[in-house]
Amino acid sequence: MAEKKNPVGAFFSAFAANIRDIGTTFAEGDFRTRLSYIFFGIGPLLRGQAVKGILYLALELAFFWYMGSFGRYYLSKLPTLGTVATQKIGRKTVYGDNSFLILLFGLLTIIIIAAFILLWRMNIAENRREEELLRQGKALPSNKKVLGSLLDSNFDKTLLALPMAGIFIFTVLPILFMICVAFTNYDANHQSPTNLFTWVGLQNFKNIFQFSGSGMGRTFFSVLGWTLVWAFFATFLDYFLGMAVAILINKKGIRFKKLWRTILVVTIAVPQFVSLLYVCKMFTNDGLINGYLLKWGLIKSPIPFWTNPMLARITIIVVNIWIGIPYMMLIATGLLMNIPEDLYESARMDGATSFQMFKSITLPYMLFVTGPFLLTQFTGNLNNFNVIYLLTRGQPQSMQLAEKAGHTDLLVTWLYKMTVNNTNYKMAAVIGIMVFVVTALISLSVYNLLPSVKDEEGFQ
Amino acid sequence: MKKKMFALMLTAAMAVSLAACGGGSTASGTTTDSAENSAADSSAAGSSAAEVSTPDTDYGSGEIKVWVADEITDFTSAKIDEFMEANPQFAGYKVTVEPVGEGDAAGNVITDVEASADIYGFAQDQIARLVSAGALEEVAPENIDAVSNENDAGAVAAATVGDTLYAYPLTSDNGYFLYYDKSVVSDPSTLEGIIADCEAAGKNFYMEINSGWYQTAFFFGSGAELTYETDDTGAFTACNSTYASEAGLVALKEMIELKASASFQNGSSVDKATNAAAIVDGTWDSGPAMDLFGENYACAKLPTFTGSDGAAYQLSGFGGFKLLGVKPQEDENKLAVCDALAAFLSSGEVQLARYEEAGWGPSNLEAQQSEAVKSDVALSALAEQLAFTIPQGQYPQDYWTLATSLGDSVISGELTEASTDDELMSTLQKFQESCISYAG
Amino acid sequence: MKKKNASMSRKRAAGNAVTYALLILISLIWLFPFFGLIMQSFRSFDPAVEYGGMVDYIIPKTFSLDNYRFLFSGETNFLLWYRNTLVIAIFVSIGQTVFVLCVSYALSRMRFKGRELLMRFWLILGMFPGFLTMICLYFLLKQFGLTQAGAVPGLILIGVASSGMGYYVCKGYFDTIPRALDDAARIDGASRARIFFVLTIPMSKPILIYTALVAFMAPWCDYVFASYVAFGYDKGYNVAVAMQRWVWTNDYQGYFTRFCAGGVLVAIPVTILFIFLQKYYVEGVTGGAVKG
């Protein structure tokens, strides 16, 4: 890996080098190269590189067609996000500008322009490379060879083309869009196509950090706090208990190992919307558990598993153990078998108890090996939507919390409720960005502390 | 057009991987690009209401989507078939009925007006939200008189935002009363009596006090007030709230007292009630309630309660309505068809048929006078309770969630009998301030 | 010496007895909800027989198949929902496996410009919560006509499109296949593509099955996004979207036992498949855990 340099400085020196290269290519290039500065791919085409030449030219034409037919329209509206209001003509509704589409396609247009500039640069580099080869008296690769390389030296491009296109359209573009939404007033009162929304700067971010009046600051930190507490317990309780169950099952002399494992694994297999909705109903004030406890006279009044905030949080964590142990048990089973039996044998010779062996052999090994896994588990639990939403939907709500947050809401379930129930997209976008910030901070700070983080190439 | 071309281009880009999806890619015809559309459609703008009513008009063709609750989906389809047969001039339109509950309909319509139904049923508490999201068209001028004269005044008020009539009333039964088990509850006239009977029998009393809808039974009952005023666009302009008062305190204390009973369960849905002896619920649950209580099935108006100040109060609440809305259309002909269809589906005759089919209490005055409706046990209890309720006006979406927070605070034990009057009052103060902040 | 052995084995037997007791207890706790679910599914919703809503006892007073009969009767679109979910699951499973395989191979075996950058970029992308972009994805799909009536292909598209980012486990597996094999084949003149198809894929059966299995199971539970894409079009729902209404919405009174029956029908094939392929699943998650 390259040594770390000042990234800003590196960027500017690379940028300057690029500009210089573009200049020298033009100055030293022949007419084919120079023509390529305006008509992409003309150079390769004239040098017999039909495949590359046509591709460049086609992409350039596609770009101008796109810009001319609609890119320009959306780009020009982007600064205002639309000005034409919806109106009525007679009883007919005539919709005005659609802010949503303007923002989405405006953003796409900007990205396409950036890609176009990159294409232009690649086109210049291609010309340079070809001229260089010719100057050295080498033949240019045949068209057949160029195509063939897509299955060989350029196979990565073939493999990655579709997945990257998919990720771009369905992940990158939407995320960029939502980041932009955080700076607009897109909510229930400003909804496309009937109403316009527009840019409002940092107002939404101010709201989430505002503690006085109607600000959401207190609620945000309260929800964030519970999210962190939840992720901590959900990760580590499951981790240790799962390991304990795995040790139980793998104990020498215990039979039917496969049966025990299979029984536990059923919770992974059964779709959660079935199992968790059922469990949720089991624990209600008038549900099965309370019903039987009352019938047997063990309690006088139902235990408020879901309605008492503290108890609801505890119940969720307990139910999550039910979901989480099997995963950890499976993982631990595989890893425990990797620990050399000699270690235990010699420890036993020295008269170590089982607990001592666990403490000084099993645990250190497991922690070392599963460090990064624990981290991903933790960040995964920060966003563990299903367990919370299917069990409590974030409830109970409280007068102490703003913007419909409940005592068991995680940031993600809160975000979901804002999106779906209240169409408060602007605040949902802000919360989403905050989730990202929290996840990134935790990941970065913990990742570098892990003992097992090694150079990736070292594994091979 | 631009959008369509764009969709085509993106589709082409992905066609390699998803040839199968390319086939299903039919960019919707209802684009929002106004500039082009307005030019293309301006010729049609000339057709006036007078023309619309003559059967010779060419209504064109298209699809009309209707969303109603699941239990009346088949009923609605059948009625629409009748309607289409009787009106051959609308034959160009294909009507599809989808089961989307009144609770979901409004949320879905607001998420994407374009993709949602042209005609949809919803509970009235959603109306202001729908109007301000531009998801409700005004009732056609030719139908206004019929709608306002044939339905009860409360229903018409519920369908009105500002001074404009926005929806066709469907039912006038969206209120609640008491279902109870005769063998357990001896006297349903006082809340204390009901609770005592339930406790003695080890049975449950159900009322969803964390719902803004049921909660008002206490507040309005003790004399507190909460109403909003709206303008024509569905925006809330003023709020009148007296929750932070002695009356509000009595109501909140009563909720806390009720919650303290071992028999109390939060909830107002027969389906989700276990071991219930009494339940505060609406007519839509009359079937399941009959199943649940069997021969001990009985209904009554809501009970009275003795407040913390020693006085007796009658539980009040909302009298509510279900409405049928038509969404704004870009095509006037289609709008005319939708209006005609909505008027038909909300007519007295169809309301009565709907009552017979599914037990929905009509809002139509004539249908209300029919023998069948008058002799219905649940509807009679509701009618009796109606005298103590206020017709439900418009409330902002935020009110409902705020009320859930207040109810949850009681249920979760944040507010208990040990809370001082000051604590309770400051909660009510906060509630009232929040309510007022939603207006204007 | 003999005596000591005897006491040791007695001690071990006692320890094992405790372990067995614990395991049996754990098994009971783990299976209890499923037992309840199955029992409820046999309680009739016919008021003449028994009550179909929530009750506070577990064993039905009379066993009946009413709920199952209801699901198959065509009164609801249950069979259609089931088919939708199955179709989505199968296509997502195939598509995801192909995508993940492509990405993993490229990242594990090839060294190209921007590789590190790409991996880091995807890692960062993965830190944004998935629900954030729901509304945007909905309108994007709508541009393609893949909502409501087109919900099934739409959900397949969404399920597959971004799946390349989930390459970690599979790449980790590829990393463990010695590169020497590739190099030997390259010396023999095999192209990258040939190595991929002839050498690597046949060696990756466990990870292929793992990827396909995980991808297959996810759509059965997809309530959130599916409800967003298909709303208002009953025929386009999947089982999760359609059936959660029976529990949460007031429009469906006394549907609880029918929900349980539907849940059983959904759970059975998925569970059987899972238990059948358990070995591969274990291999996958264990490998994934170690690699992080």
Side-chain angles (χ1 to χ4, degrees):
Chain A
M1 225 176 273
E3 266 182 67
K4 276 189 184 166
K5 280 181 264 176
N6 175 7
V8 181
F11 174 76
F12 277 110
S13 63
F15 188 72
N18 264 306
I19 296 286
R20 216 176 307 127
D21 193 52
I22 291 168
T24 43
T25 308
F26 192 81
E28 295 170 7
D30 56 11
F31 80 96
R32 299 186 191 90
T33 302
R34 290 182 187 175
L35 211 53
S36 291
Y37 273 66
I38 299 168
F39 302 105
F40 294 13
I42 286 291
L45 213 52
L46 292 177
R47 295 187 193 98
Q49 295 281 301
V51 175
K52 285 184 180 173
I54 289 171
L55 193 65
Y56 275 115
L57 204 57
L59 285 173
E60 185 183 11
L61 289 176
F63 172 78
F64 283 114
W65 174 71
Y66 168 83
M67 285 307 286
S69 55
F70 34 76
R72 202 171 31 118
Y73 168 80
Y74 285 112
L75 198 61
S76 66
K77 296 251 178 191
L78 193 56
T80 57
L81 294 180
T83 46
V84 183
T86 298
Q87 46 172 322
K88 290 246 155 158
I89 298 178
R91 294 212 65 215
K92 183 176 70 170
T93 303
V94 177
Y95 287 117
D97 284 337
N98 187 323
S99 301
F100 187 98
L101 294 181
I102 290 172
L103 180 54
L104 182 63
F105 292 143
L107 213 54
L108 184 70
T109 307
I110 291 179
I111 295 170
I112 286 182
I113 291 174
F116 179 74
I117 294 171
L118 197 70
L119 186 76
W120 180 68
R121 179 72 190 92
M122 280 164 65
N123 154 62
I124 290 168
E126 174 65 27
N127 274 296
R128 177 122 184 127
R129 199 159 44 238
E130 285 173 8
E131 280 201 64
E132 207 99 307
L133 277 174
L134 290 174
R135 208 170 296 145
Q136 289 163 11
K138 288 181 191 159
L140 295 177
S142 70
N143 286 321
K144 206 177 148 199
K145 219 166 174 190
V146 170
L147 282 177
S149 79
L150 284 176
L151 292 177
D152 197 11
S153 60
N154 280 325
F155 192 42
D156 54 313
K157 296 195 176 66
T158 317
L159 287 175
L160 289 174
L162 269 184
M164 278 174 70
I167 290 169
F168 173 74
I169 297 179
F170 291 102
T171 302
V172 178
L173 184 62
I175 286 179
L176 288 176
F177 175 85
M178 290 313 287
I179 291 176
C180 291
V181 165
F183 299 94
T184 68
N185 61 355
Y186 184 23
D187 60 16
N189 294 325
H190 301 89
Q191 232 177 303
S192 309
T194 314
N195 299 315
L196 300 166
F197 61 84
T198 189
W199 302 104
V200 294
L202 288 171
Q203 200 178 302
N204 302 324
F205 288 90
K206 275 186 203 138
N207 184 8
I208 206 151
F209 289 115
Q210 190 191 332
F211 287 82
S212 57
S214 62
M216 287 164 62
R218 241 166 48 87
T219 307
F220 171 69
F221 282 99
S222 153
V223 175
L224 174 63
W226 158 241
T227 306
L228 292 172
V229 169
W230 147 260
F232 177 82
F233 279 109
T235 308
F236 289 98
L237 265 184
D238 290 5
Y239 183 74
F240 287 110
L241 290 175
M243 213 190 309
V245 173
I247 290 171
L248 273 187
I249 294 178
N250 290 319
K251 213 171 143 191
K252 257 195 196 151
I254 295 294
R255 298 174 64 194
F256 317 117
K257 289 190 188 335
K258 200 156 180 210
L259 172 73
W260 305 122
R261 243 173 260 155
T262 307
I263 287 174
L264 287 176
V265 154
V266 171
T267 46
I268 306 181
V270 175
Q272 286 186 345
F273 96 92
V274 176
S275 56
L276 286 183
L277 275 183
Y278 185 77
V279 170
C280 157
K281 292 289 169 197
M282 254 169 59
F283 282 96
T284 50
N285 284 359
D286 48 2
L288 262 184
I289 305 239
N290 272 319
Y292 275 107
L293 290 178
L294 282 168
K295 235 176 265 175
W296 294 335
L298 292 173
I299 49 172
K300 287 247 155 48
S301 60
I303 304 170
F305 287 112
W306 297 134
T307 51
N308 177 299
M310 203 56 210
L311 208 51
R313 290 173 170 187
I314 293 170
T315 315
I316 283 181
I317 290 174
V318 170
V319 172
N320 186 61
I321 291 175
W322 183 73
I323 296 285
I325 278 189
Y327 280 103
M328 201 50 225
M329 184 269 302
L330 286 182
I331 290 164
T333 304
L335 295 180
L336 289 172
M337 288 177 185
N338 292 347
I339 305 178
E341 187 56 25
D342 317 358
L343 284 177
Y344 291 110
E345 211 49 61
S346 56
R348 221 168 278 139
M349 289 292 194
D350 296 341
T353 63
S354 325
F355 181 71
Q356 279 170 329
M357 285 193 284
F358 173 78
K359 210 183 77 184
S360 48
I361 303 174
T362 318
L363 193 59
Y365 174 81
M366 290 292 287
L367 279 177
F368 177 78
V369 175
T370 55
F373 165 76
L374 271 177
L375 177 61
T376 41
Q377 276 297 93
F378 188 84
T379 52
N381 276 324
L382 287 177
N383 296 321
N384 196 336
F385 177 87
N386 266 2
V387 172
I388 302 283
Y389 195 74
L390 291 174
L391 287 177
T392 65
R393 303 204 143 187
Q395 274 150 354
Q397 283 177 215
S398 164
M399 283 297 288
Q400 295 163 8
L401 298 173
E403 197 57 38
K404 298 102 196 171
H407 280 296
T408 58
D409 258 326
L410 300 184
L411 286 173
V412 270
T413 56
W414 197 25
L415 183 165
Y416 175 80
K417 290 200 282 190
M418 274 186 200
T419 308
V420 172
N421 301 347
N422 305 311
T423 58
N424 191 353
Y425 302 114
K426 56 175 189 187
M427 288 321 288
V430 174
I431 299 285
I433 292 173
M434 297 322 288
V435 171
F436 167 76
V437 170
V438 170
T439 316
L441 280 180
I442 291 174
S443 303
L444 279 181
S445 52
V446 176
Y447 192 72
N448 293 321
L449 295 176
L450 291 174
S452 48
V453 173
K454 290 184 208 149
D455 183 8
E456 185 216 345
E457 306 277 334
F459 279 108
Q460 299 180 1
Chain B
M1 215 43 223
K2 278 175 185 166
K3 222 182 80 179
K4 201 160 191 170
M5 269 156 72
F6 180 79
L8 281 175
M9 198 191 83
L10 274 187
T11 313
M14 307 213 52
V16 196
S17 64
L18 295 146
C21 302
S25 160
T26 49
S28 72
T30 54
T31 71
T32 52
D33 258 351
S34 58
E36 283 85 346
N37 281 341
S38 61
D41 296 345
S42 58
S43 58
S47 62
S48 68
E51 273 175 338
V52 161
S53 56
T54 58
D56 306 331
T57 317
D58 178 15
Y59 286 94
S61 60
E63 263 186 64
I64 293 175
K65 272 193 284 182
V66 179
W67 285 353
V68 292
D70 202 346
E71 61 170 329
I72 59 161
T73 305
D74 294 337
F75 167 81
T76 308
S77 296
K79 283 291 163 195
I80 289 174
D81 288 345
E82 280 175 28
F83 174 78
M84 295 310 269
E85 240 167 71
N87 294 279
Q89 72 272 27
F90 301 145
Y93 287 86
K94 188 174 169 287
V95 185
T96 51
V97 183
E98 287 285 341
V100 178
E102 283 109 14
D104 295 334
N108 287 342
V109 171
I110 286 172
T111 300
D112 185 0
V113 175
E114 281 178 82
S116 63
D118 301 293
I119 301 173
Y120 55 94
F122 60 97
Q124 69 163 118
D125 54 286
Q126 302 290 334
I127 191 170
R129 193 178 166 213
L130 287 164
V131 170
S132 64
L136 265 186
E137 182 56 75
E138 296 167 18
V139 168
E142 68 267 23
N143 293 335
I144 290 177
D145 281 345
V147 169
S148 354
N149 295 336
E150 289 170 14
N151 291 292
D152 65 50
V156 176
T160 307
V161 175
D163 294 322
T164 314
L165 187 65
Y166 273 102
Y168 298 83
L170 271 190
T171 77
S172 176
D173 64 352
N174 235 22
Y176 41 87
F177 51 92
L178 186 78
Y179 289 106
Y180 66 99
D181 184 333
K182 271 191 287 200
S183 68
V184 175
V185 177
S186 51
D187 174 19
S189 65
T190 66
L191 188 57
E192 289 78 12
I194 296 170
I195 291 290
D197 284 344
C198 288
E199 279 175 354
K203 295 271 195 172
N204 290 329
F205 170 81
Y206 275 86
M207 181 165 182
E208 193 175 351
I209 63 167
N210 71 341
S211 150
W213 204 54
Y214 291 100
Q215 216 174 70
T216 53
F218 294 96
F219 286 100
F220 296 170
S222 69
E225 284 176 41
L226 178 66
T227 52
Y228 283 90
E229 282 166 36
T230 53
D231 63 14
D232 286 352
T233 64
F236 290 90
T237 50
C239 172
N240 163 35
S241 170
T242 59
Y243 269 33
S245 61
E246 283 307 314
L249 201 59
V250 167
L252 186 57
K253 279 186 172 170
E254 185 60 26
M255 283 166 65
I256 291 168
E257 194 189 318
L258 175 64
K259 187 258 160 187
S261 162
S263 283
F264 167 77
Q265 295 285 2
N266 183 54
S268 279
S269 168
V270 172
D271 169 38
K272 284 148 200 142
T274 60
N275 202 20
I279 180 164
V280 176
D281 201 346
T283 48
W284 54 91
D285 264 1
S286 59
M290 268 182 242
D291 297 344
L292 180 67
F293 295 133
E295 57 189 18
N296 293 317
Y297 170 77
C299 305
K301 71 165 180 60
L302 293 182
T304 58
F305 67 88
T306 310
S308 54
D309 55 357
Y313 297 95
Q314 165 68 42
L315 282 173
S316 168
F318 282 133
F321 310 88
K322 283 181 186 166
L323 308 170
L324 196 63
V326 174
K327 85 168 178 193
Q329 301 288 341
E330 292 174 286
D331 175 353
E332 263 189 341
N333 289 323
K334 187 176 170 192
L335 182 58
V337 181
C338 289
D339 269 320
L341 190 54
F344 167 74
L345 288 174
S346 62
S347 66
E349 170 205 349
V350 178
Q351 284 196 16
L352 196 57
R354 195 180 290 110
Y355 164 74
E356 278 154 12
E357 173 76 20
W360 289 24
S363 63
N364 183 285
L365 294 167
E366 234 168 81
Q368 281 175 353
Q369 292 310 314
S370 78
E371 278 312 306
V373 174
K374 278 173 125 177
S375 60
D376 188 295
V377 187
L379 286 179
S380 313
L382 179 67
E384 208 183 324
Q385 174 65 22
L386 218 55
F388 305 107
T389 59
I390 68 161
Q392 186 182 339
Q394 313 309 339
Y395 290 82
Q397 178 68 10
D398 286 316
Y399 160 72
W400 305 103
T401 37
L402 181 73
T404 301
S405 298
L406 180 65
D408 275 356
S409 288
V410 171
I411 296 167
S412 67
E414 275 173 18
L415 303 174
T416 65
E417 286 170 311
S419 305
T420 63
D421 282 7
D422 285 346
E423 279 166 9
L424 298 180
M425 195 53 110
S426 85
T427 304
L428 288 169
Q429 193 69 42
K430 206 155 138 194
F431 189 91
Q432 182 169 320
E433 279 165 14
S434 300
C435 283
I436 290 168
S437 75
Y438 300 146
Chain C
M1 202 60 201
K2 216 174 178 182
K3 216 175 182 181
K4 197 180 170 197
N5 261 345
S7 88
M8 276 259 298
S9 68
R10 209 176 306 133
K11 215 169 134 192
R12 177 168 283 177
N16 281 353
V18 173
T19 311
Y20 278 125
L22 268 175
L23 285 174
I24 289 169
L25 182 70
I26 289 173
S27 302
L28 286 180
I29 294 175
W30 251 257
L31 291 182
F32 178 73
F34 301 114
F35 173 72
L37 187 75
I38 293 168
M39 284 297 128
Q40 304 281 303
S41 78
F42 288 116
R43 181 154 52 88
S44 174
F45 62 86
D46 181 357
V49 184
E50 214 171 331
Y51 172 62
M54 291 273 300
V55 289
D56 55 1
Y57 54 88
I58 193 160
I59 312 277
K61 297 198 170 102
T62 31
F63 281 81
S64 96
L65 290 172
D66 282 358
N67 299 306
Y68 294 96
R69 239 175 263 136
F70 169 82
L71 293 174
F72 286 106
S73 69
E75 249 178 88
T76 61
N77 288 321
F78 180 76
L79 293 177
L80 200 59
W81 301 329
Y82 206 96
R83 204 190 68 192
N84 287 342
T85 321
L86 191 67
V87 167
I88 295 171
I90 289 173
F91 279 95
V92 166
S93 175
I94 295 172
Q96 273 204 19
T97 312
V98 171
F99 269 39
V100 166
L101 207 65
C102 289
V103 172
S104 307
Y105 183 83
L107 291 177
S108 168
R109 280 303 191 266
M110 318 243 337
R111 290 294 175 269
F112 49 90
K113 219 171 128 189
R115 174 176 166 277
E116 294 266 325
L117 193 71
L118 187 69
M119 284 164 65
R120 212 160 293 163
F121 179 59
W122 284 357
L123 187 72
I124 291 171
L125 276 188
M127 291 176 188
F128 282 95
F131 301 130
L132 176 62
T133 56
M134 221 161 39
I135 177 78
C136 187
L137 285 178
Y138 169 78
F139 281 105
L140 261 178
L141 279 185
K142 208 178 135 196
Q143 299 299 310
F144 297 111
L146 294 181
T147 52
Q148 277 82 35
V152 172
L155 285 168
I156 295 174
L157 181 60
I158 289 289
V160 173
S162 292
S163 60
M165 279 163 67
Y167 64 85
Y168 301 97
V169 174
C170 189
K171 175 182 171 290
Y173 183 87
F174 283 169
D175 287 346
T176 61
I177 301 177
R179 287 190 106 177
L181 286 175
D182 287 36
D183 295 340
R186 280 187 75 72
I187 292 168
D188 291 344
S191 70
R192 283 280 183 198
R194 209 179 139 71
I195 294 174
F196 178 59
F197 287 112
V198 178
L199 191 74
T200 313
I201 291 186
M203 285 181 72
S204 325
K205 191 177 140 207
I207 210 69
L208 284 185
I209 294 178
Y210 166 76
T211 314
L213 178 66
V214 172
F216 182 84
M217 284 169 57
W220 294 93
C221 235
D222 178 16
Y223 159 66
V224 171
F225 198 69
S227 68
Y228 220 73
V229 171
F231 75 75
Y233 186 75
D234 206 62
K235 293 189 182 74
Y237 290 173
N238 67 6
V239 279
V241 174
M243 280 171 43
Q244 62 82 32
R245 293 183 298 179
W246 296 352
V247 178
W248 289 119
T249 325
N250 282 338
D251 293 348
Y252 299 90
Q253 299 292 343
Y255 268 64
F256 186 67
T257 54
R258 281 170 262 196
F259 169 81
C260 291
V264 170
L265 290 181
V266 169
I268 285 175
V270 183
T271 310
I272 290 176
L273 185 76
F274 184 84
I275 290 182
F276 195 60
L277 299 174
Q278 207 191 119
K279 191 179 97 192
Y280 301 103
Y281 184 82
V282 173
E283 208 165 313
V285 287
T286 315
V290 177
K291 289 289 292 185

